[in-house]
Amino acid sequence: VSSIRVQSAFDEAAFQQALSGLCARHELLRTSFELAAARQALQLVHRSAAIPLRVDDWRGLGAAEQQRLLGVVLAEERSQGFDVSVAPLLRVRLHRLAEDVFQLTLADHRAVLDGWSAAVLTTELFQAIVATSSPAASAVSVEVVSSE
């Protein structure tokens, strides 16, 4: 689980478009595993998969309450497993903190993403967002808040 604080305007359509593009380009984001039907695990790469985006609007809350909720979300994400038979093995959650600040929380299964791959995909995600966003969202400042 990693969580990144981002100083930028949020464009939900551009963000969803960037996630869809990542999923289309990277087989690992369309990967699931069949564990029960065969004598050994089968890795399945699907033609398509959708990365769900959950958006929480915390803009009306104080900083202390936002931090408390972030702690709750991170604990939930760390304890929640994945159904490896269903792609993608990635969860994306975005928490709006202010008009120009949001927190991005990514939970992934280590069978498809290691630390290096996750960093590369996060970089590519932000590059795609900047490329498809309005000019207000093209200035991005990132701070890694939590990473495991």
Side-chain angles (χ1 to χ4, degrees):
V1 176
S2 62
S3 194
I4 304 163
R5 185 176 309 268
V6 179
Q7 174 107 27
S8 175
F10 173 63
D11 182 338
E12 188 167 353
F15 202 92
Q16 191 63 63
Q17 183 180 352
L19 284 175
S20 296
L22 276 180
C23 201
R25 278 190 304 283
H26 295 285
E27 292 177 344
L28 60 95
L29 296 177
R30 301 188 316 270
T31 296
S32 67
F33 297 90
E34 179 59 52
L35 303 176
R39 282 186 279 175
Q40 56 184 344
L42 295 175
Q43 179 178 353
L44 307 171
V45 178
H46 304 273
R47 285 190 178 94
S48 64
I51 301 172
L53 172 62
R54 179 174 171 184
V55 178
D56 301 316
D57 190 348
W58 297 345
R59 290 178 288 180
L61 304 175
E65 181 64 5
Q66 290 175 346
Q67 282 303 112
R68 186 191 72 74
L69 288 173
L70 180 60
V72 169
V73 167
L74 292 174
E76 287 173 355
E77 287 296 342
R78 288 181 185 115
S79 66
Q80 185 178 353
F82 284 89
D83 178 354
V84 297
S85 68
V86 179
L89 299 178
L90 172 70
R91 288 188 296 270
V92 179
R93 200 159 164 185
L94 188 134
H95 325 287
R96 298 204 60 191
L97 305 177
E99 285 304 314
D100 63 346
V101 180
F102 61 88
Q103 185 86 22
L104 176 64
T105 300
L106 303 168
D108 59 81
H109 194 289
R110 294 300 178 209
V112 295
L113 284 175
D114 61 10
W116 176 260
S117 300
V120 169
L121 283 174
T122 302
T123 299
E124 189 176 328
L125 174 63
F126 282 108
Q127 288 171 338
I129 291 166
V130 168
T132 60
S133 296
S134 64
S138 64
V140 177
S141 172
V142 176
E143 171 190 350
V144 176
V145 175
S146 174
S147 185
E148 284 189 355

